[in-house]
């Protein structure tokens, strides 16, 4: 552990001095003011943009998760700005640990919601799972990752400088949470690629419906999908980096290398967030926005969960058959 050497204790350190060198902190450096202020500002602007489009187009579920993740990122990088002034600021250090570790998990929720709407707009029958099952599977799995990382972050934040065992326990729990998140992301990616290949083959066969073809060739829809793919790739790279970073324990050489943190943590999250903000479903994928708005409008009504408006013709026929069967049985 980098913040204790031999019998020297840094428990009482509150600022950098002769007996409290910056090298003895967990990070081991003064966080770069310009870079961290830029990242904080970028996330702050994205929060404004997401709130604007989310309220305007009523993409409540998608925008809420994404905005919550941005707020945590914003808080985390503000904390790093404060650490530039005083690397021994324990409150700022604890904030940046918890906020920056947890934020991408919330951002992932918005990505997981997209596959359901894409399958409904193209061809539900080509999906390995019923479209409504995607969020029911991936969102709880993502929340499990969030809980694990929150527990680990809390343990690490409360460990202090003289409790290496608790700090190590927090580190291990965080690694478990990020590893699970990587596995969930990987499985989601496999499902997406599988569905893409099946739809591509279906379109090439000439059997695709006119509505599905219109969506498939729509430039705005493709822009949204490319933005989601780019965001997915950035977050996956970040998770892999975090596993390697945390595996060496607190204060290891990777953790104390700010350039790698800035590129593989900071920019691998801010770029996905910018992509998802600049290319929102409310403007580029109206079908998803309408379903989101309809779902929240109809929440609480009897049988509302059985309604999936703005879907492909194939899905509409399937839902009508289901409704007819259920009515007959009653």
């Amino acid at each position: 552990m980098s913040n204790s050497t031999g019998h020297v204790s840094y428990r009482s350190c509150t600022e950098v001095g002769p007996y409290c060198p910056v090298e003895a902190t967990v990070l081991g450096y003064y966080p770069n003011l310009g870079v961290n202020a830029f990242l904080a500002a970028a996330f702050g602007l994205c929060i404004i943009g997401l709130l604007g489009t989310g309220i305007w187009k009523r993409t409540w579920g998608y925008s809420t998760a994404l905005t919550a993740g941005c707020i945590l990122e914003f808080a985390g990088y503000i904390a790093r700005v404060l650490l530039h002034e005083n690397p021994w600021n324990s409150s700022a250090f604890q904030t940046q640990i918890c906020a920056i570790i947890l934020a991408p998990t919330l951002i992932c929720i918005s990505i997981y919601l997209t596959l359901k709407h894409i399958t409904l707009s193209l061809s539900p029958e080509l999906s390995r799972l019923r479209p409504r099952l995607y969020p029911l599977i991936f969102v709880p799995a993502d929340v499990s990752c969030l809980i694990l990382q929150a527990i680990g972050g809390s343990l690490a934040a409360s460990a202090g400088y003289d409790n290496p065992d608790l700090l190590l326990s927090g580190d291990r729990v965080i690694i478990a949470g990020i590893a699970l998140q990587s596995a969930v992301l990987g499985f989601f990616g496999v499902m997406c690629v599988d569905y893409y290949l099946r739809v591509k083959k279906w379109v090439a066969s000439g059997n695709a419906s006119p509505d599905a073809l219109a969506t498939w060739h729509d430039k705005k829809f493709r822009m949204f999908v490319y933005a989601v793919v780019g965001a997915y790739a950035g977050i996956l790279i970040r998770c892999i980096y975090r596993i390697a970073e945390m595996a060496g324990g607190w204060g290891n050489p990777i953790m104390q290398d700010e350039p790698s943190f800035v590129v593989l943590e900071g920019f691998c999250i801010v770029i996905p967030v910018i992509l998802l903000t600049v290319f929102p479903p409310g403007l580029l994928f109206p079908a998803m926005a309408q379903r989101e708005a309809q779902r929240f409008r109809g929440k609480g009504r009897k049988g509302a969960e059985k309604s999936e408006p703005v879907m492909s013709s194939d899905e509409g026929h399937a839902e009508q058959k289901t409704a007819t069967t259920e009515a007959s049985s009653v």
Side-chain angles (χ1 to χ4, degrees), residues 253-274:
I254 298 178
M255 187 175 289
Q256 293 190 341
D257 181 53
E258 188 176 25
S260 64
F261 175 87
V262 168
V263 173
L264 298 175
E265 171 65 49
F267 283 97
C268 275
I269 296 299
V270 76
I271 291 175
V273 168
I274 291 172

Side-chain angles (χ1 to χ4, degrees), residues 109-124:
I109 291 177
S110 63
I111 294 177
Y112 293 145
L113 293 176
T114 61
L115 185 55
K116 167 190 172 180
H117 296 284
I118 290 173
T119 56
L120 285 174
S121 294
L122 292 174
S123 174

Side-chain angles (χ1 to χ4, degrees), residues 228-239:
V228 172
V229 171
Y232 170 87
I235 295 175
L236 184 60
I237 292 171
R238 173 264 179 189
C239 288

Side-chain angles (χ1 to χ4, degrees), residues 1 3-4 10-11 13 25-26 87-88 90 93 159-164:
M1 188 174 172
N3 47 23
S4 61
Y10 300 105
R11 188 186 186 94
C13 288
T25 62
V26 173
W88 286 102
S90 60
F93 177 70
Y161 292 127
D162 286 347
N163 196 341

Side-chain angles (χ1 to χ4, degrees), residues 31 51 53 90 92 103-104 134 146 181 196 208 233 301:
L51 286 174
T53 56
S90 60
Y134 286 114
L146 180 67
Q181 183 182 2
Y196 166 75
R301 296 176 185 173

Side-chain angles (χ1 to χ4, degrees), residues 29 52 92 118 328:
Y29 58 81
I118 290 173
S328 300

Side-chain angles (χ1 to χ4, degrees), residues 131-277:
R132 69 179 63 202
L133 292 179
Y134 286 114
L136 294 179
I137 292 173
F138 287 103
V139 173
D142 197 62
V143 171
S144 300
C145 304
L146 180 67
I147 292 172
L148 278 176
Q149 292 175 65
I151 293 172
S154 299
L155 291 174
S158 62
Y161 292 127
D162 286 347
N163 196 341
D165 292 336
L166 184 59
L167 195 63
L168 181 60
S169 297
D171 178 63
R172 289 173 175 170
V173 175
I174 291 173
I175 291 174
I178 297 175
L180 178 59
Q181 183 182 2
S182 300
V184 174
L185 275 168
F187 180 55
F188 179 78
V190 169
M191 297 296 290
C192 289
V193 171
D194 174 74
Y195 184 73
Y196 166 75
L197 294 175
R198 290 162 69 87
V199 171
K200 186 178 180 181
K201 182 178 179 181
W202 178 59
V203 170
S205 70
N207 295 322
S209 66
D211 289 343
L213 283 175
T215 301
W216 179 260
H217 294 296
D218 184 71
K219 291 182 179 180
K220 290 183 178 181
F221 170 74
R222 285 178 172 263
M223 287 172 64
F224 173 71
V225 171
Y226 293 151
V228 172
V229 171
Y232 170 87
I235 295 175
L236 184 60
I237 292 171
R238 173 264 179 189
C239 288
I240 295 171
Y241 159 74
R242 273 297 197 175
I243 293 174
E245 181 205 36
M246 300 298 294
W250 295 94
N252 70 78
I254 298 178
M255 187 175 289
Q256 293 190 341
D257 181 53
E258 188 176 25
S260 64
F261 175 87
V262 168
V263 173
L264 298 175
E265 171 65 49
F267 283 97
C268 275
I269 296 299
V270 76
I271 291 175
V273 168
I274 291 172
L275 287 173
L276 297 176
T277 303

